[in-house]
Amino acid sequence: MKKRIHVLEDDKDIAFIIEFLLKDEGYEIQVSSTFKELKNKLKDSIPHLFILDVMLPDGNGLDICRDLKNDTFTKHIPVIVMSANVHNQELSAASAPDDYIAKPFDLDYIESRIKKLIEKKAA
């Protein structure tokens, strides 16, 4: 069974690159550009991992991460937070993400972080 990753990223180019990379690695990808869209898609299926951008048109990825980690249905799912703002890495600690990736990112690096989190969850 393919592992499903939900990417919440409002920059269409970044979302496309991540989706292309991860599909090529055999993952099933869901992409949302807003928090509202993410919530609607979660009604249909729960992913094995979330990748959240911090700056979104209708929310903050750090707040969304905190909500996911406090929700009974999603608290067990690994969350990676991404941001171009280096100060968000310090702020993200309070949101309890499983990992943080700074933008711009190296594609091999993001792939290895995802693989590590999914394998850790499966163990």
Side-chain angles (χ1 to χ4, degrees):
M1 180 173 104
K2 284 187 175 185
K3 299 292 184 181
R4 184 178 311 112
I5 299 173
H6 196 111
V7 179
L8 177 57
E9 171 61 67
D10 63 325
D11 184 307
K12 292 186 185 326
D13 292 333
I14 293 173
F16 175 80
I17 290 168
I18 293 171
E19 181 178 15
F20 182 81
L21 166 75
L22 297 178
K23 277 186 175 179
D24 193 49
E25 291 299 316
Y27 295 104
E28 180 183 326
I29 308 301
Q30 289 178 311
V31 178
S32 297
S33 59
T34 64
F35 181 46
K36 181 179 178 181
E37 188 180 353
L38 168 72
K39 288 192 295 187
N40 286 333
K41 289 182 178 179
L42 284 179
K43 294 175 187 173
D44 297 328
S45 63
I46 300 291
H48 295 93
L49 183 130
F50 289 101
I51 299 175
L52 307 176
D53 184 22
V54 171
M55 301 298 289
L56 298 163
D58 64 343
N60 181 306
L62 299 176
D63 295 334
I64 295 166
C65 178
R66 189 173 16 262
D67 290 347
L68 291 170
K69 289 299 187 178
N70 288 321
D71 186 288
T72 305
F73 296 106
T74 57
K75 67 181 179 182
H76 65 284
I77 300 171
V79 176
I80 296 174
V81 172
M82 296 187 309
S83 180
N85 183 338
V86 295
H87 299 293
N88 283 330
Q89 184 170 6
E90 297 164 13
L91 296 173
S92 74
S95 302
D98 296 275
D99 207 345
Y100 177 89
I101 294 177
K103 292 180 185 176
F105 51 81
D106 175 76
L107 294 176
D108 291 331
Y109 178 75
I110 195 170
E111 179 191 342
S112 70
R113 304 307 302 162
I114 289 167
K115 196 174 286 188
K116 180 179 176 183
L117 287 172
I118 287 180
E119 287 173 2
K120 180 180 173 183
K121 181 186 170 209

